[in-house]
Amino acid sequence: MPNMPAPVGDTRSASDSRSFDETKEAATMHKRHGWGNRLMVWRRRLWGLWLLGWLLTLGPAWTEPLPSKPDADGQNPAAKTSVAQEIAELRQVQQRVQAVVRKVTPAVVAVLINPGQGSGVVVTADGYVLTAGHVSGKPGRDVVIVFPEGKRVKGKTLGVNPQMDSGLIKLEGNGPWPHVEMGDVTQLRPGDWVVAIGHPGGYRPGRSPVVRVGRVLRIVQQLVQTDCTLVGGDSGGPLFDLEGRVVGIHSRIGGDISQNIHVPVNTYRETWEALTEGTIIGLAYLGVRGDESAEQAKILEVDPESPAAKAGLQPNDVILSCDGKKITDYRSLRSLLWQKRPGDTVRLEVLRGGERIELKVRLGSRQ
């Protein structure tokens, strides 16, 4: 608080030793000097105006209650209440994480593909395993899947999407296999708690899949970023929400090991047919770029000499359907094209200047 002038007036205390006569004499002196009284009045007025202005600068804050006094142990009760609430919330998170781990661990597996290792998660009773594309590699490879209790099962790699780093494996033999539910990454929000499980450093006999807990940092169309600590060997392992649903697959480790990238689980669902058929997704080439933020599949650019250009597609065209399947936005167009192979011919319904036209395009190859 700034220094304030002392108020003028009767400042006598109980210990004041002046007599009544002395006080009376002082009053008489003031009467003799009227200018002195007027000065005192003006000083009081100035003091009042200064005090009022100072309170107004504080605004509503000066009417708020003062902080609670420290209690017997020297701590502020309000601060203790806040800490207690935070501890209670963390305990709730801890309990939910423990429940998730118990529920999903039987389906988290190690993926052994000579000479490499990674992680994965079983998502169907008949033995489909999600993993990272750089773990599974090209279709048709022999793999060994190791369950948490040590059971080993043979499998085969199926489709892969190199651009998204998504891959699929199929277990051999009879099920049903322990499996978990696939979630929806669009339900995640930055700050949400998530659980990362995998085999850091590679599979180790007798060690259960390792659990790490963190929060979602950001979500975009082609990745989920969290602060769950990951290292080599975790690639392909699952990221769970607190309902025990897979929302991502570990893909790339950031410059800081606590800032890592996961493949959104939605891309597996969107390309499921192509993955199960053993397709290398993303090789088919149309040759256009669209508006990712628009609510329709509007074409912004057409590559010269591309299949799209040769078929007559133009900038500002809006693609309404592909092979009879409705296209709602550019992302849905891309997802559908991911399931095609080089050399396939697709039929596009296009809106151009208010007129609907149909074009046939023979897709090229990115290789």
Side-chain angles (χ1 to χ4, degrees), residues 251-295:
S251 175
R252 300 181 295 281
I253 299 172
D256 180 341
I257 63 172
S258 65
Q259 293 183 346
N260 300 290
I261 305 301
H262 314 262
V263 181
V265 73
N266 295 44
T267 189
Y268 291 86
R269 186 180 291 109
E270 294 167 355
T271 59
W272 188 260
E273 183 178 348
L275 289 173
T276 57
E277 291 176 352
T279 303
I280 300 178
I281 299 171
L283 295 183
Y285 172 61
L286 177 61
V288 299
R289 273 171 289 283
D291 186 349
E292 298 276 357
S293 61
E295 296 181 355

Side-chain angles (χ1 to χ4, degrees), residues 46-228:
L46 289 173
W47 157 251
L49 290 171
W50 182 91
L51 180 60
L52 177 61
W54 180 73
L55 290 175
L56 289 174
T57 61
L58 292 180
W62 74 278
T63 63
E64 295 178 357
L66 294 174
S68 302
K69 293 182 178 180
D71 55 16
D73 61 4
Q75 295 186 355
N76 189 310
K80 291 174 66 176
T81 300
S82 177
V83 171
Q85 291 174 344
E86 291 178 1
I87 292 174
E89 291 173 359
L90 288 174
R91 284 176 177 166
Q92 290 179 354
V93 172
Q94 181 184 39
Q95 292 171 357
R96 295 187 67 182
V97 168
Q98 291 171 341
V100 167
V101 172
R102 287 192 297 268
K103 176 181 177 181
V104 306
T105 295
V108 180
V109 298
V111 178
L112 310 183
I113 305 180
N114 289 331
Q117 296 188 31
S119 302
V121 61
V122 186
V123 294
T124 65
D126 56 350
Y128 283 100
V129 180
L130 306 187
T131 189
H134 73 271
V135 172
S136 61
K138 65 182 181 180
R141 300 177 71 190
D142 293 325
V143 302
V144 174
I145 300 298
V146 186
F147 284 85
E149 74 280 8
K151 181 178 180 179
R152 292 176 176 243
V153 181
K154 292 182 179 180
K156 284 278 189 183
T157 62
L158 298 178
V160 61
N161 186 339
Q163 292 182 332
M164 290 296 297
D165 195 28
S166 58
L168 191 67
I169 296 172
K170 180 65 169 66
L171 296 175
E172 298 178 357
N174 298 324
W177 303 103
H179 62 285
V180 296
E181 178 184 357
M182 294 171 65
D184 183 358
V185 76
T186 64
Q187 301 302 311
L188 287 180
R189 297 292 181 271
D192 284 354
W193 290 99
V194 284
V195 180
I197 306 182
H199 291 276
Y203 173 72
R204 296 182 188 176
R207 184 187 71 174
S208 298
V210 179
V211 177
R212 275 116 324 152
V213 180
R215 290 182 184 264
V216 175
L217 298 179
R218 67 182 178 122
I219 307 164
V220 296
Q221 283 190 345
Q222 298 187 18
L223 63 87
V224 177
Q225 184 176 3
T226 73
D227 60 4
C228 296

Side-chain angles (χ1 to χ4, degrees), residues 285-289 299 301-315 317 319 348 352 359-364:
Y285 172 61
L286 177 61
V288 299
R289 273 171 289 283
I299 303 304
E301 298 179 24
V302 178
D303 294 341
E305 303 300 320
S306 67
K310 293 177 181 178
L313 272 173
Q314 300 176 8
D317 283 350
I319 298 178
L348 302 178
R352 178 183 296 167
L359 299 174
K360 290 184 178 180
V361 185
R362 188 173 186 273
L363 300 175

